[in-house]
Amino acid sequence: MKLFDTRASELRDFVPIEPGRVGIYVCGPTVQSEPHIGHLRSALVYDLLSRWFEELGYQVTLVRNVTDIDDKVLEKSKESGIDWRVLAQRNERIFAADYQRLQLRSPELEPRATGHITQMLELIQRLVDAGHAYQVEGSADVYFDTASWSQYGELTNQKPEDMESEEAAGGKRAPQDFALWKSQKPGEPVSASWPAVFGAGRPGWHIECSAMSTYYLGKEFDIHGGGLDLRFPHHENELAQSQAAADGFARYWIHNGLVSIAGQKMSKSIGNTVSSAELFELTSPAAVRYYLASAHYRSVLDYQPGVLAEAEAALDRLHGFVDRAGRELAATQYAEIQQPELPADFVAEMNDDLNIPAALAVLHETVTDGNTQLDELDFKAAALSRDQVLRMLDVLGLHPTSWSSGGSAEHAVLDGLVQNLIAERNSARAEKNFDRADQIRDQLAELGIELSDGSSGTHWSLS
């Protein structure tokens, strides 16, 4: 298994700290609002990574946090007039429901920031004691001293003088320094403040993940993941403060690409975000999952009209072959489904930095072979293709039995129309009107619908 390590800027062989085990920490959502397509894409990447590690025989511990206290959460609370705790919990439930609709496996641990203030304060104190953090005189504010850490900037290959913290400058020694603890501000709710030796306040964003990841996975763990937009300042600052506190921290850094809308960067400021609710209104959750996985995880995923229809057609083709094979193999000795080895090409692509688009190509090639084998009545070969297809679908979380039957309403309408044409074609063939029968087949083929005649009747699939 090779992974592209952002810190090293190269593909690296994955070697776990402990043989047979892998610990993964993923920056989860800041729950100030409902999820959008980017949130779903990121969560799916690490679900697929975890599934593949399990397929390789690893015992996986996936930790995905919830940031439920943050400047953004408090800002949204103030705008909406909803208590910040109620707002955060409400949005967290929506995230959880959308993850379930995509059939993402629940992480082994899903810690909330508000439940780990003690660990954060302990880490801040270690940094102060080591001379890597300072408290602003007359304030509870505590900052990380970037000048004290010579490796600052190594994750993103930037020079400190070219970087600046997103926090306002009040009391900081240098523009690059970032907040570890923030004093309670006028107008902020008392409930969003915790007692500390530095003074009442709340944690900075970056310290949250450093504290939670090492608390659950140890001072050094295998993989830290998140969206590309988190490389700076979030992950850069996590790395600096953790190693300055003498924690080995993450051995591999993985970042998934962002989402564009019709070629334009998705941004709330320009109003071109696509919510998860909008996606699920347009197609089935299974098709959403297929679409989100269709681009390499490190590349930009572009959303535009038609992409979901393409994903649904591709998924229908895969599941359609499984249905066809099940029908036509039912009366043979190959009806029973076996558990064969995954195709070598599929394994190679998944091991090559989780190259799922190439793995999907192997899957579709196997379906093409399987349909040809069924046409030629080579049932032994067709059964192997079917079983390999099912194994690959299972690895990708797309196994047909995992999803509710019946399909979308649009699919049901299409099936009714096609079945009427199939019935007309069968009548034409019975009357030896082969010109009309061929005309119907050709018309459907032009629309991308392929007919297959077998012992159990005529069935259709999207070509």
Side-chain angles (χ1 to χ4, degrees):
M1 179 66 173
K2 291 182 181 293
L3 292 171
F4 187 87
D5 180 10
T6 305
R7 186 179 178 187
S9 296
E10 65 181 9
L11 278 173
R12 294 177 57 203
D13 291 326
F14 177 73
V15 181
I17 295 172
E18 183 179 349
R21 295 176 179 269
V22 56
I24 306 172
Y25 182 85
V26 178
C27 286
T30 300
V31 286
Q32 84 271 15
S33 58
E34 296 180 6
H36 56 63
I37 184 174
H39 294 124
L40 298 186
R41 197 254 177 124
S42 182
L44 176 60
V45 165
Y46 300 101
D47 176 74
L48 291 165
L49 181 64
S50 298
R51 287 171 180 264
W52 184 243
F53 273 127
E54 290 177 0
E55 183 65 33
L56 295 177
Y58 288 95
Q59 181 177 332
V60 180
T61 301
L62 175 64
V63 181
R64 185 183 65 215
N65 78 296
V66 176
T67 297
D68 57 347
I69 180 62
D70 177 80
D71 289 347
K72 295 177 182 178
V73 173
L74 296 180
E75 289 168 7
K76 285 289 184 179
S77 170
K78 187 175 181 179
E79 291 173 8
S80 63
I82 302 172
D83 184 281
W84 68 272
R85 294 164 295 189
V86 174
L87 177 72
Q89 291 180 10
R90 181 181 299 172
N91 287 323
E92 184 182 341
R93 287 194 294 269
I94 297 172
F95 270 90
D98 284 349
Y99 291 160
Q100 289 178 354
R101 292 178 80 176
L102 275 184
Q103 297 200 11
L104 305 185
R105 295 176 179 175
S106 297
E108 280 64 34
L109 296 157
E110 198 165 14
R112 296 184 183 92
T114 52
H116 297 79
I117 303 297
T118 299
Q119 289 77 27
M120 296 172 201
L121 287 170
E122 289 174 353
L123 178 54
I124 295 170
Q125 189 62 58
R126 285 164 55 197
L127 289 167
V128 171
D129 294 343
H132 294 298
Y134 58 91
Q135 183 174 359
V136 176
E137 187 176 352
S139 168
D141 293 333
V142 181
Y143 288 97
F144 181 82
D145 185 1
T146 54
S148 72
W149 188 247
S150 61
Q151 294 100 307
Y152 187 61
E154 64 176 320
L155 182 66
T156 52
N157 295 311
Q158 297 185 81
K159 296 179 181 179
E161 57 266 27
D162 297 330
M163 298 185 288
E164 185 170 340
S165 171
E166 59 190 4
E167 286 107 7
K172 293 198 296 184
R173 294 176 183 172
Q176 296 82 10
D177 296 351
F178 54 89
L180 303 175
W181 189 254
K182 299 182 176 184
S183 58
Q184 183 180 3
K185 296 179 177 64
E188 290 184 348
V190 176
S191 58
S193 177
W194 288 262
V197 295
F198 314 111
R202 56 187 171 86
W205 176 32
H206 316 300
I207 201 70
E208 295 179 355
C209 287
S210 286
M212 288 186 284
S213 59
T214 52
Y215 182 70
Y216 288 105
L217 295 174
K219 293 183 180 297
E220 185 175 23
F221 55 93
D222 295 301
I223 296 172
H224 193 312
L228 189 63
D229 56 326
L230 298 179
R231 286 178 66 230
F232 184 83
H234 189 46
H235 289 170
E236 187 72 75
N237 293 349
E238 275 191 69
L239 176 62
Q241 67 196 8
S242 298
Q243 294 201 324
D247 292 341
F249 214 51
R251 284 194 172 186
Y252 298 80
W253 288 84
I254 298 176
H255 292 94
N256 61 274
L258 305 181
V259 176
S260 64
I261 308 298
Q264 187 177 28
K265 180 181 177 182
M266 186 175 73
S267 172
K268 290 182 179 179
S269 62
I270 61 176
N272 69 339
T273 57
V274 176
S275 70
S276 59
E278 290 175 293
L279 288 178
F280 291 127
E281 285 176 0
L282 294 171
T283 190
S284 67
V288 172
R289 184 181 177 104
Y290 184 100
Y291 159 66
L292 294 174
S294 62
H296 192 282
Y297 80 89
R298 286 195 287 117
S299 66
V300 173
L301 177 69
D302 191 50
Y303 177 84
Q304 53 187 302
V307 293
L308 295 178
E310 292 172 2
E312 187 155 13
L315 190 60
D316 281 349
R317 180 175 183 268
L318 300 175
H319 289 178
F321 164 70
V322 173
D323 290 342
R324 180 193 176 191
R327 292 190 303 268
E328 298 189 19
L329 295 172
T332 73
Q333 60 180 310
Y334 305 107
E336 184 178 348
I337 297 173
Q338 306 297 320
Q339 287 292 316
E341 294 291 324
L342 289 165
D345 289 348
F346 181 87
V347 173
E349 299 297 356
M350 293 292 285
N351 276 336
D352 183 15
D353 195 30
L354 205 69
N355 192 349
I356 289 176
L360 284 171
V362 175
L363 175 55
H364 279 279
E365 288 168 6
T366 308
V367 165
T368 298
D369 292 342
N371 278 318
T372 300
Q373 291 153 359
L374 288 173
D375 291 341
E376 296 174 350
L377 305 183
D378 186 352
F379 296 130
K380 180 178 180 180
L384 176 60
S385 294
R386 173 204 59 189
D387 297 345
Q388 286 182 326
V389 165
L390 286 171
R391 282 224 54 204
M392 289 185 276
L393 287 171
D394 189 46
V395 167
L396 298 173
L398 294 169
H399 197 289
T401 59
S402 299
W403 299 89
S404 58
S405 61
S408 65
E410 292 87 349
H411 188 280
V413 171
L414 177 61
D415 180 63
L417 294 172
V418 175
Q419 292 297 346
N420 287 338
L421 289 172
I422 289 175
E424 183 183 346
R425 176 173 173 265
N426 289 340
S427 297
R429 294 170 72 188
E431 296 168 1
K432 300 188 184 304
N433 186 356
F434 298 115
D435 287 342
R436 176 56 183 156
D438 290 343
Q439 184 183 39
I440 293 172
R441 175 189 282 274
D442 293 342
Q443 287 176 336
L444 290 173
E446 288 178 5
L447 295 172
I449 296 171
E450 180 180 349
L451 301 182
S452 58
D453 300 312
S455 57
S456 59
T458 301
H459 304 278
W460 68 272
S461 62
L462 295 172
S463 63

